């Protein structure tokens, strides 16, 4: 099923692991992220660097997103997969301690950026021949239940679920499938704080279990490789002992 993929947030963490796994599986992959040097590092780690294209882009900027997708199609000819992965958050705090700049930053990346990328991918997939493709949105455990003090992040991740559902419906006439992966406590720099203890719903601080990020990448490859008549609508992959069931 390997084809052409675009992965956002490909300079680190889940995005990097997923991009490398797709390349190893035979995909051509556009690596999108803000930091050119981090993207170049990802290219250097690839099983076949010739299948990777580093595309520096701030996804909160609609014009940069359009240019990134155009560059991808110019290089590879089409687009078969978007992994809408890039995301950002803020330190845990009550809503009245969130600054407006923090709110706009998180909304700009997690929601506006996901919309811009989905919009560009949908247009390309709808217009290309053969028509169609797949969009995978990174929803997060926070698309279902919040952590304490996470209003900006949780709000945007709940919105991603709505985006996934609308794209699934609106993509049907054009052979565009859309699914969502909700990830809990993958071992990345973003979750390093969990090894030292993070706030829990009862007010306590507790260390949380994490899982190998490679397992997330394996799930992305599996979702990507189904034929377009088959879709993983929602899937949750998480550290077995992390507080999700029973959280909150």
């Amino acid at each position: 099923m390997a084809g052409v993929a675009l992965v956002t947030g490909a300079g680190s963490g889940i995005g990097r692991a997923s991009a490398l796994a797709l390349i190893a599986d035979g995909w051509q992959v556009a690596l999108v992220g803000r930091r050119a040097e981090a993207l170049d590092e990802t290219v250097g780690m690839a099983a076949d660097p010739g299948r990777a294209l580093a595309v520096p882009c701030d996804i909160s900027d609609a014009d940069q997103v359009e240019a990134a997708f155009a560059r991808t199609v110019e290089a590879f000819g089409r687009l078969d997969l978007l992994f809408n992965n890039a995301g950002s958050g803020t330190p845990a705090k009550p809503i009245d301690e969130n600054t407006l700049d923090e709110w706009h930053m998180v909304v700009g990346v997690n929601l506006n950026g996901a919309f811009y990328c989905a919009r560009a991918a949908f247009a390309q997939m709808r217009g290309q021949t053969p028509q169609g493709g797949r969009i995978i949105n990174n929803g997060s455990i926070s698309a279902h239940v919040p952590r304490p003090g996470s209003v900006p992040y949780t709000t945007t991740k709940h919105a991603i679920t709505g985006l996934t559902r609308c794209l699934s419906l609106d993509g049907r006439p054009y052979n565009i499938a859309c699914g969502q992966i909700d990830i809990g406590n993958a071992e990345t720099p973003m979750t390093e704080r969990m090894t030292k203890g993070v706030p829990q719903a009862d007010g306590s601080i507790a260390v949380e279990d994490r899982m190998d990020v490679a397992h997330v990448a394996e799930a992305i490859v599996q979702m990507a490789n189904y034929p377009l008549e088959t879709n993983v609508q929602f899937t949750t992959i998480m550290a077995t002992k992390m507080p999700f069931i029973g959280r909150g």
Side-chain angles (χ1 to χ4, degrees):
M1 178 61 195
V4 177
L6 186 150
V7 177
T8 66
S12 64
I14 291 166
R16 169 176 280 178
S18 299
L20 293 174
L22 287 164
I23 292 167
D25 193 58
W27 290 73
Q28 295 175 294
V29 182
L31 313 172
V32 170
R34 289 178 297 173
R35 298 174 295 136
E37 64 280 4
L39 298 177
D40 290 340
E41 287 178 5
T42 304
V43 172
M45 299 166 65
D48 182 356
R51 292 183 174 273
L53 175 69
V55 186
C57 171
D58 178 353
I59 65 163
S60 67
D61 184 315
D63 290 337
Q64 289 190 39
V65 169
E66 290 293 330
F69 277 78
R71 185 176 171 194
T72 299
V73 174
E74 180 182 11
F76 295 137
R78 58 180 288 115
L79 182 67
D80 300 292
L81 172 69
L82 165 64
F83 181 25
N84 225 349
N85 164 72
S88 186
T90 59
K93 63 181 78 174
I95 186 172
D96 58 325
E97 295 180 17
N98 281 121
T99 68
L100 293 181
D101 285 344
E102 287 175 326
W103 169 259
H104 290 303
M105 181 275 290
V106 175
V107 171
V109 175
N110 295 7
L111 184 53
N112 292 345
F115 168 81
Y116 298 150
C117 290
R119 180 174 181 268
F122 197 101
Q124 174 60 36
M125 293 170 179
R126 180 180 178 183
Q128 65 193 4
T129 304
Q131 190 180 61
R134 186 183 308 276
I135 298 170
I136 302 173
N137 291 325
N138 184 344
S140 164
I141 296 295
S142 292
H144 301 273
V145 290
R147 288 186 176 278
S150 66
V151 165
Y153 187 80
T154 298
T155 301
T156 57
K157 289 303 185 178
H158 273 61
I160 291 300
T161 300
L163 177 65
T164 298
R165 288 175 170 153
C166 284
L167 292 175
S168 297
L169 178 60
D170 294 348
R172 288 175 186 171
Y174 312 110
N175 208 27
I176 299 172
C178 182
Q180 182 167 311
I181 185 166
D182 298 317
I183 304 162
N185 290 12
E187 289 179 355
T188 68
M190 186 177 290
T191 63
E192 185 65 30
R193 61 193 173 89
M194 295 176 184
T195 65
K196 300 175 178 63
V198 291
Q200 304 296 305
D202 62 1
S204 65
I205 302 294
V207 172
E208 294 190 9
D209 284 55
R210 299 192 299 164
M211 63 172 173
D212 191 335
V213 70
H215 299 156
V216 178
E218 290 168 6
I220 293 297
V221 171
Q222 181 181 25
M223 293 171 74
N225 280 329
Y226 285 117
L228 289 176
E229 59 265 26
T230 300
N231 187 39
V232 178
Q233 187 65 69
F234 292 96
T235 188
T236 301
I237 183 167
M238 52 178 270
T240 303
K241 296 181 181 179
M242 72 167 287
F244 170 47
I245 304 303
R247 177 162 128 188

